[in-house]
Amino acid sequence: MRISAKTEYACIAMIELAAAYGSGVPVRIRKIAERHGVPPRFLVQILLQLKGAGFVSSTRGAAGGYNMIVEPSTINLGQVMDIIDGNISTGKWECNASDDSPAVRALVKNWTEAEKRKRQILDGLTFADLLRQTKRLDKTSMYTKKR
């Protein structure tokens, strides 16, 4: 599976926004960019797409940034990937060989099944799940709320 840089950056931004969900404090683009080595200009475009989809809101000004406006447990990886790069799984396979070939039909059948399973995994993985995984893998406590 090939993931575009744009989709990767969108997912990183969504994990950052999920970590701040409910805090009322907007997350700055600069913070995401510096923490993950993402070009800030690219993030602006991505966050505008996510805003248009109704997942995030923006706040202007010195204390501005972006907030996730829907619960992280209600947004899944497949949705964000679809928003950024279009429908990631069309389920249609174009074959160069003859459609009458039993080998081609067997391949297409299995490729279609693999695509369905991939979609089930992506749709079953929420940003709350991804945030939990991120926290478990984080050695610096970057995503742990300060008390």
Side-chain angles (χ1 to χ4, degrees):
M1 178 166 72
R2 219 168 155 86
I3 307 296
S4 71
K6 191 174 181 184
T7 293
E8 180 183 352
Y9 298 159
C11 293
I12 288 168
M14 290 295 283
I15 292 170
E16 286 283 340
L17 296 175
Y21 180 75
S23 71
V25 178
V27 178
R28 295 173 170 252
I29 289 175
R30 187 178 333 128
K31 176 183 171 188
I32 299 170
E34 289 172 359
R35 189 176 279 176
H36 301 284
V38 176
R41 281 194 218 157
F42 207 14
L43 273 177
V44 170
Q45 296 169 3
I46 290 166
L47 286 163
L48 287 175
Q49 270 186 279
L50 294 170
K51 182 179 177 182
F55 290 155
V56 304
S57 67
S58 61
T59 305
R60 292 180 164 214
Y66 286 83
N67 287 15
M68 184 177 281
I69 56 174
V70 292
E71 270 198 47
S73 63
T74 63
I75 307 168
N76 66 57
L77 195 52
Q79 289 172 301
V80 170
M81 292 173 77
D82 283 344
I83 288 164
I84 300 303
D85 279 336
N87 191 336
I88 57 168
S89 55
T90 61
K92 294 180 182 177
W93 297 95
E94 301 220 1
C95 296
N96 295 307
S98 171
D99 290 343
D100 293 332
S101 163
V104 169
R105 288 196 311 266
L107 287 168
V108 168
K109 177 182 180 276
N110 285 283
W111 287 335
T112 302
E113 181 61 29
E115 189 68 29
K116 284 181 192 174
R117 288 183 186 175
K118 176 183 82 173
R119 188 64 207 211
Q120 288 172 340
I121 291 168
L122 294 174
D123 288 348
L125 192 58
T126 70
F127 279 88
D129 298 329
L130 288 165
L131 180 59
R132 277 191 293 279
Q133 289 178 23
T134 301
K135 286 179 179 179
R136 279 196 305 268
L137 295 169
D138 184 24
K139 305 285 188 238
T140 63
S141 302
M142 182 184 304
Y143 295 97
T144 310
K145 289 186 180 178
K146 306 287 187 228
R147 293 181 188 181

